[in-house]
Amino acid sequence: MLTLEGEYVIHLAKTTKLVRLKDNVLGSAGLLLFFFIAISLINKNGFGSITNAICTIFVLLLFSLFSYICICIIYHSYFPKDNPIRIGGEGIVDDRGILYPWNKIEYAHFRAITKSCYLQIYYKNADNQSLHYEINLKEYDFDERKIAGAIEYWSGRDIGDYEDYLKDDYVKQQVEEGKITEEQSKVLDEKLSLYTPYFQKKQKEYKMYIIWLLPILVIVYFISKYLCDVNTPLDMYKWFSIIKFLSLRSGFLVLYVFCLGLVGDYKTKKLRRNPDLKDLSEKELDHLLDVHEMKESSLAIKILLILTAIWLFFVIYTILVDYGVLS
């Protein structure tokens, strides 16, 4: 659990010391550069003729414009505009300055969607209606774990992770379907909460395979790129040539994703046999795997296997032609 002395504040990225220093250096360097260029051009052209006078005035106007831009950059490096998000004892203050008290907040968590990251707040308004507001954190300097820790620390509840939201929704659904009672739901909630950190850790391990398998992506990319330029006797058939080209061009990515899928499936099957998870039922385990995006995908693996086999066929065939084994 994160220990805080005061509220946790999420500042805009442009207010960080490193960004401000970079802007200050760039603005100052730009101002000096434009000054020397302007002085050099004025000394060279002077005001000897109408043409030179017009050119000199134009240079001075450009210098004024660029100087204004550089001065603005330098000024904002000293006095940056901030639009902070605050998580403290009273609740969450969003990017518009609106306070969401803890007694009105149902959930508040960080969530990455495609290429953007959001702080999602689920709350009840004055009419007791459930509403949802999300803050785009694209321009903010933040730490995902600190956001979750601050929310749970100040709220005193287990609501700081997206997994908590999905867990409660799952438990609620089990009760509504009559599969468990209200008393059993409390036990199930505690059990899933207990295992969530373990699965979060495993999810991070799974994501590391994306980096560990990168050498395969690079090697296969260069092999496929080289073989694309090899002409074969069957290239006389247009359909064959198109399939060969598409297969070799996309083969490196197909093989990479296939390897990721194989490793992920192997690790998940191994996880299912882990004696430390014996207290979880098959359905509960499936829920945790699904929430943390670690569930097996047999159909996808089969499709990728077929595509990989096609790529491998073209690789072997093209290599044999290139070395003169087939003609």
Side-chain angles (χ1 to χ4, degrees):
M1 178 68 72
L2 180 70
T3 303
L4 298 174
E5 294 297 329
E7 64 180 4
Y8 177 61
V9 184
I10 308 170
H11 295 283
L12 286 168
K14 65 182 181 181
T15 65
T16 60
K17 290 181 180 179
L18 187 62
V19 174
R20 290 168 62 191
L21 179 62
K22 180 198 72 175
D23 289 346
N24 193 293
V25 170
L26 288 175
S28 301
L31 189 62
L32 288 172
L33 179 64
F34 295 139
F35 175 77
F36 284 117
I37 291 173
I39 293 297
S40 299
L41 289 173
I42 290 169
N43 287 336
K44 183 178 179 181
N45 294 325
F47 292 90
S49 65
I50 295 176
T51 304
N52 287 346
I54 292 172
C55 288
T56 302
I57 293 170
F58 180 70
V59 168
L60 286 171
L61 288 173
L62 276 179
F63 172 69
S64 300
L65 175 62
F66 287 126
S67 296
Y68 173 75
I69 294 171
C70 289
I71 290 169
C72 285
I73 292 172
I74 295 169
Y75 175 81
H76 287 300
S77 72
Y78 286 108
F79 307 101
K81 290 182 179 179
D82 198 5
N83 196 22
I85 301 161
R86 301 178 182 276
I87 305 171
E90 294 184 359
I92 299 175
V93 179
D94 69 11
D95 53 334
R96 303 167 299 177
I98 297 174
L99 172 67
Y100 299 86
W102 291 120
N103 61 348
K104 293 292 183 180
I105 294 176
E106 297 177 308
Y107 300 96
H109 52 74
F110 169 89
R111 190 182 178 194
I113 304 174
T114 59
K115 294 182 179 180
S116 297
C117 300
Y118 298 91
L119 174 59
Q120 299 185 324
I121 304 172
Y122 294 84
Y123 65 99
K124 287 187 179 293
N125 63 7
D127 298 325
N128 212 34
Q129 293 177 316
S130 293
L131 300 175
H132 169 223
Y133 178 68
E134 59 184 26
I135 307 167
N136 193 331
L137 298 176
K138 182 180 178 181
E139 297 180 354
Y140 284 86
D141 179 51
F142 63 90
D143 184 315
E144 176 186 348
R145 295 317 307 160
K146 285 185 178 180
I147 290 175
I151 289 169
E152 294 188 354
Y153 176 83
W154 289 113
S155 69
R157 288 178 285 152
D158 196 18
I159 60 171
D161 287 303
Y162 180 59
E163 290 85 357
D164 297 323
Y165 171 75
L166 295 177
K167 174 202 68 181
D168 288 353
D169 188 57
Y170 171 75
V171 173
K172 192 185 297 181
Q173 186 179 1
Q174 297 300 301
V175 174
E176 289 174 354
E177 292 177 358
K179 295 178 180 178
I180 58 174
T181 62
E182 286 289 346
E183 288 298 320
Q184 290 172 326
S185 70
K186 295 177 182 177
V187 176
L188 178 59
D189 186 278
E190 290 176 2
K191 185 195 289 188
L192 295 177
S193 297
L194 181 67
Y195 282 101
T196 293
Y198 175 81
F199 279 86
Q200 287 176 335
K201 182 181 176 182
K202 285 295 178 183
Q203 186 182 37
K204 288 180 181 178
E205 290 179 10
Y206 276 43
K207 289 179 179 178
M208 286 302 297
Y209 295 130
I210 295 173
I211 298 172
W212 294 341
L213 292 173
L214 272 179
I216 292 176
L217 180 68
V218 175
I219 293 168
V220 176
Y221 170 77
F222 284 108
I223 291 173
S224 296
K225 187 178 180 182
Y226 168 75
L227 294 176
C228 274
D229 298 327
V230 176
N231 293 318
T232 68
L234 292 177
D235 284 344
M236 61 182 293
Y237 301 105
K238 191 173 181 180
W239 62 269
F240 181 88
S241 178
I242 292 171
I243 295 173
K244 185 192 82 171
F245 176 80
L246 292 175
S247 180
L248 290 175
R249 277 294 182 187
S250 61
F252 72 96
L253 190 58
V254 169
L255 183 63
Y256 177 68
V257 177
F258 176 62
C259 290
L260 280 175
L262 279 182
V263 172
D265 271 17
Y266 168 75
K267 286 291 182 180
T268 300
K269 288 174 182 175
K270 188 177 178 182
L271 191 65
R272 286 185 181 277
R273 298 192 296 269
N274 191 332
D276 294 336
L277 305 179
K278 62 182 180 181
D279 291 337
L280 290 170
S281 68
E282 193 70 24
K283 193 169 183 180
E284 291 163 359
L285 182 56
D286 281 340
H287 166 72
L288 287 168
L289 289 171
D290 192 38
V291 165
H292 295 89
E293 300 174 348
M294 294 160 58
K295 210 169 181 182
E296 304 97 321
S297 51
S298 301
L299 179 60
I301 291 294
K302 288 175 182 177
I303 293 171
L304 288 168
L305 176 61
I306 294 169
L307 293 174
T308 302
I310 295 171
W311 169 81
L312 191 59
F313 164 77
F314 284 113
V315 166
I316 294 171
Y317 172 71
T318 311
I319 289 174
L320 291 176
V321 170
D322 191 39
Y323 280 89
V325 179
L326 296 175
S327 57

